[in-house]
């Protein structure tokens, strides 16, 4: 039977790795299981992250892994497919071969999938010439021709984008028939009534969607999320990421708003601290 570790972290994005660092530095044994397909890998770089502005997402992860190597933190490139309580412990089952992991606490940090509106050609360009967050990628396309493909009633977002460019067009999702590459790096949006609209970048509002049912297996219930059309958020019971299930903590996009690398890091650090508090037995 596998040794019981102090924590299994489900998901090795900014949230999970931050939780692992807090716990590792607290002399705890940690296993981070990461399926390795976070949404932001589609982008060339992460921005608006002080100290890491412009760093490619994979490099951010590699730097974190290198720093975690000095602690009792093992990174497992796999996917968690099952998690259940077994007495005072949790049993965590992985997709790949190997024994299930056993842990005293679990930090859920699997993030969300970012579903862009169903316009042909849009999903392939998400992170490259189509973006959702102007704080993350607006600077790189400032002063260029922008289009916001959105649902009617959300046109006001073009006013926000006006802080980055004086040339912002609104295209209703229903009127955007197709997105394809134009000349010299521009993007063509085929519109229902006006033919092709040539722009340099597109903004959209994706809908966040659950990536697994591990929270549900542990007895958690997702709640409404302002950026999702389905219940997607695991709402913590307090500011430190505790959940309704003792010993299970939540961090990152799964719980925090707005979704960003820095929010995820902060939330992971808090959840790691809360897991440590739980492990110490203080307050019980
Ligand atoms: C295209 C794009 C660009 C972005 N650019 C920026 C930016 O420039 N700046 C910024 O601040 N924010 C940016 N964001 C938002 C930011 O990436 C997220 O808010 C942040 O990464 C969330 O961190 P997280 O750790 O909660 O989740 P994620 O980064 O999504 O990481 C979750 C990890 O968990 C893994 N996982 C999920 N389920 C399981 C499972 N069952 N078992 C094992 N592993 C699992 C996933 O594969 C993934 O590796 C961007 C998002 C996207 C989609």
């Amino acid at each position: 039977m596998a040794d019981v570790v102090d924590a299994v972290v489900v998901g090795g994005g900014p949230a999970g790795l931050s939780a692992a660092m807090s716990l590792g530095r607290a002399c705890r044994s940690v296993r981070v299981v990461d399926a390795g397909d976070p949404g932001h890998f589609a982008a060339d770089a992460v921005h608006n992250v002080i100290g890491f502005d412009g760093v490619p997402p994979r490099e951010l992860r590699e730097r974190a892994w290198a720093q975690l190597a000095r602690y009792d933190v093992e990174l497992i490139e796999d996917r968690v497919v099952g998690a259940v309580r077994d007495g005072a412990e949790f049993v965590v089952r992985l997709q790949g071969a190997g024994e299930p992991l056993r842990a005293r606490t679990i930090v859920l940090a699997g993030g969300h999938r970012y579903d862009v509106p169903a316009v042909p050609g849009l999903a392939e360009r998400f992170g490259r010439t189509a973006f959702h967050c102007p704080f993350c990628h607006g600077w790189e396309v400032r002063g260029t021709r922008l289009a916001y493909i959105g649902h009617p009633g959300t046109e006001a977002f073009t006013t926000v984008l006006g802080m980055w460019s004086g040339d912002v067009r609104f295209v209703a999702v229903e009127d955007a028939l197709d997105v394809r590459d134009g000349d010299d790096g521009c993007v063509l949006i085929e519109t229902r009534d006006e033919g092709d609209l040539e722009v340099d970048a597109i903004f959209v509002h994706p809908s966040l969607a659950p990536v697994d049912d591990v929270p549900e297996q542990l007895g958690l219930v997702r709640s409404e999320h302002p950026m999702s059309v389905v219940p997607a958020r695991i709402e913590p019971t307090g500011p430190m990421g505790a959940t309704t299930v003792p010993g299970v903590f939540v961090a990152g996009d799964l719980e925090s708003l707005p979704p960003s690398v820095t929010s995820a890091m902060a939330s992971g650090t808090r959840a790691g601290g809360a897991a440590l508090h739980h492990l110490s037995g203080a307050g019980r």
Side-chain angles (χ1 to χ4, degrees), residues 3 34 58 60 204 211 239 262 271:
D3 290 344
D34 186 32
R58 288 172 198 277
L60 186 68
V204 293
V211 293
T262 48

Side-chain angles (χ1 to χ4, degrees), residues 11 13-15 34-38 40 46-47 80 110 136-137 212 252-253 259-261 264:
D34 186 32
D37 55 2
H40 67 288
V46 294
H47 292 285
V80 172
C136 304
H137 302 285
D212 61 33
D253 271 13
S260 75
V261 169

Side-chain angles (χ1 to χ4, degrees), residues 159-219:
T159 309
V160 177
L161 289 173
M163 303 303 286
W164 280 267
S165 171
D167 185 351
V168 187
R169 295 280 302 270
F170 175 77
V171 179
V173 170
E174 296 73 13
D175 294 336
L177 303 179
D178 176 60
V179 177
R180 62 187 197 282
D181 292 338
D183 294 332
D184 299 326
C186 76
V187 198
L188 296 174
I189 306 169
E190 185 186 345
T191 64
R192 190 178 302 281
D193 298 324
E194 296 181 70
D196 283 350
L197 174 64
E198 187 179 282
V199 296
D200 297 295
I202 296 169
F203 280 82
V204 293
H205 280 161
S207 180
L208 304 188
V211 293
D212 61 33
D213 66 351
V214 177
E216 285 82 354
Q217 292 184 41
L218 288 162

Side-chain angles (χ1 to χ4, degrees), residues 13-14 17 40-41 46 49 51-53 55-67 261 265:
L17 295 176
H40 67 288
F41 272 13
V46 294
V49 183
F52 299 95
D53 190 39
V55 171
R58 288 172 198 277
E59 185 182 327
L60 186 68
R61 184 168 74 154
E62 279 161 20
R63 287 193 201 185
W65 281 18
Q67 290 169 356
V261 169
M265 286 176 172

Side-chain angles (χ1 to χ4, degrees), residues 44-257:
D44 292 340
V46 294
H47 292 285
N48 209 23
V49 183
I50 196 76
F52 299 95
D53 190 39
V55 171
R58 288 172 198 277
E59 185 182 327
L60 186 68
R61 184 168 74 154
E62 279 161 20
R63 287 193 201 185
W65 281 18
Q67 290 169 356
L68 288 167
R70 73 183 75 127
Y71 309 113
D72 186 2
V73 176
E74 187 187 330
L75 295 153
I76 301 171
E77 294 182 75
D78 207 329
R79 184 178 294 280
V80 172
V81 291
V84 289
R85 182 183 281 288
D86 181 17
E89 298 161 10
F90 296 95
V91 178
V92 178
R93 204 159 40 82
L94 309 187
Q95 192 171 52
E99 267 189 282
L101 304 172
R102 301 184 74 85
R104 296 181 187 90
T105 61
I106 291 187
V107 178
L108 296 171
H112 284 132
R113 201 179 62 232
Y114 289 57
D115 289 341
V116 300
V119 176
L122 196 51
E124 298 92 296
R125 287 166 180 79
F126 188 50
R128 294 191 294 115
T129 47
F131 308 101
H132 71 293
C133 166
F135 294 100
C136 304
H137 302 285
W139 171 264
E140 283 62 41
V141 294
R142 68 194 183 284
T144 68
R145 298 163 298 173
L146 305 180
Y148 164 51
I149 300 181
H151 292 285
T154 66
E155 291 88 341
F157 188 54
T158 55
T159 309
V160 177
L161 289 173
M163 303 303 286
W164 280 267
S165 171
D167 185 351
V168 187
R169 295 280 302 270
F170 175 77
V171 179
V173 170
E174 296 73 13
D175 294 336
L177 303 179
D178 176 60
V179 177
R180 62 187 197 282
D181 292 338
D183 294 332
D184 299 326
C186 76
V187 198
L188 296 174
I189 306 169
E190 185 186 345
T191 64
R192 190 178 302 281
D193 298 324
E194 296 181 70
D196 283 350
L197 174 64
E198 187 179 282
V199 296
D200 297 295
I202 296 169
F203 280 82
V204 293
H205 280 161
S207 180
L208 304 188
V211 293
D212 61 33
D213 66 351
V214 177
E216 285 82 354
Q217 292 184 41
L218 288 162
L220 293 168
V221 177
R222 291 181 199 257
S223 59
E224 299 298 318
H225 191 298
M227 287 178 64
S228 178
V229 292
V230 295
R233 185 169 183 228
I234 303 295
E235 198 161 350
T237 53
M240 297 293 284
T243 68
T244 50
V245 179
V248 178
F249 302 84
V250 62
D253 271 13
L254 266 183
E255 69 92 8
S256 61
L257 286 164

